[in-house]
Amino acid sequence: MNTTRYFINMRKATLALAFALMSIAGMAQIKNPVKWTFSAKKLDATTYELHLTAIMDPTWHIYTIDHTGDIGVPTSIRFKSNPLGTYSGKPKVVGKAVSLKDPSTGEMVKFYEKSVNFVQVVKLKAPVKTNIAGTVEFMACDDKQCLPPTEKEFSIPLQ
């Protein structure tokens, strides 16, 4: 085999491998069926409502905060400590939960479809600028699969 033919065959093999790897990468795209937005609404000089809003793709859902079933992970919100403010109670849920019997286990499950807004009131000790940070953990499912629990960090400016 001469050198030129060897390099041509190697180039073909390399291109074939590259196309195969790109095809595999295309099939293994990471699903992200839940989009989050984080914002603050100023109520007065030192009081804010924090809004953590999840918008789910059609057919997808996330479990409620108080979900207790054997399958699925409840949505949870953890706020980092901020010496400039205090949190008033637990987050309030604005959105309608769906309750139904899971066909695979027979147990009742509670989840949100389309969208849900978690609202947390925070009171600052003085009218200052700061950020409220934290993490929301959730599990997205559709009628065929559940994705692994996901943590999403956030930082909401208060001004």
Side-chain angles (χ1 to χ4, degrees):
M1 180 186 272
N2 68 28
T3 307
T4 305
R5 174 162 272 168
Y6 173 78
F7 284 113
I8 291 172
N9 287 337
M10 287 303 293
R11 180 180 285 176
K12 287 181 182 178
T14 302
L15 285 173
L17 179 62
F19 283 121
L21 290 174
M22 286 190 305
S23 296
I24 291 170
M27 289 186 292
Q29 289 180 354
I30 297 172
K31 291 184 181 185
N32 188 15
V34 181
K35 311 298 184 273
W36 287 90
T37 59
F38 305 98
S39 62
K41 178 181 176 185
K42 189 172 190 173
L43 301 179
D44 63 39
T46 58
T47 308
Y48 292 82
E49 279 183 349
L50 307 178
H51 292 266
L52 293 74
T53 305
I55 299 176
M56 283 72 71
D57 288 348
T59 74
W60 288 87
H61 63 268
I62 62 174
Y63 291 96
T64 61
I65 287 178
D66 61 348
H67 171 72
T68 58
D70 289 336
I71 61 167
V73 173
T75 300
S76 65
I77 301 168
R78 292 181 303 281
F79 293 99
K80 292 183 180 175
S81 178
N82 184 322
L84 300 175
T86 57
Y87 303 104
S88 298
K90 295 181 179 184
K92 179 176 66 174
V93 179
V94 179
K96 186 176 182 328
V98 175
S99 295
L100 65 91
K101 187 181 280 190
D102 184 278
S104 63
T105 64
E107 71 178 344
M108 291 301 291
V109 293
K110 294 181 358 182
F111 54 86
Y112 302 108
E113 297 178 307
K114 298 179 185 169
S115 68
V116 62
N117 184 18
F118 301 98
V119 182
Q120 175 67 58
V121 174
V122 63
K123 181 114 174 118
L124 299 179
K125 294 178 181 174
V128 296
K129 292 182 179 183
T130 188
N131 284 348
I132 300 295
T135 305
V136 61
E137 182 181 25
F138 62 98
M139 181 179 222
C141 299
D142 67 6
D143 61 347
K144 297 179 184 76
Q145 64 184 325
C146 285
L147 301 178
T150 302
E151 285 191 355
K152 176 88 173 162
E153 292 185 1
F154 61 86
S155 181
I156 304 171
L158 305 182
Q159 302 182 12

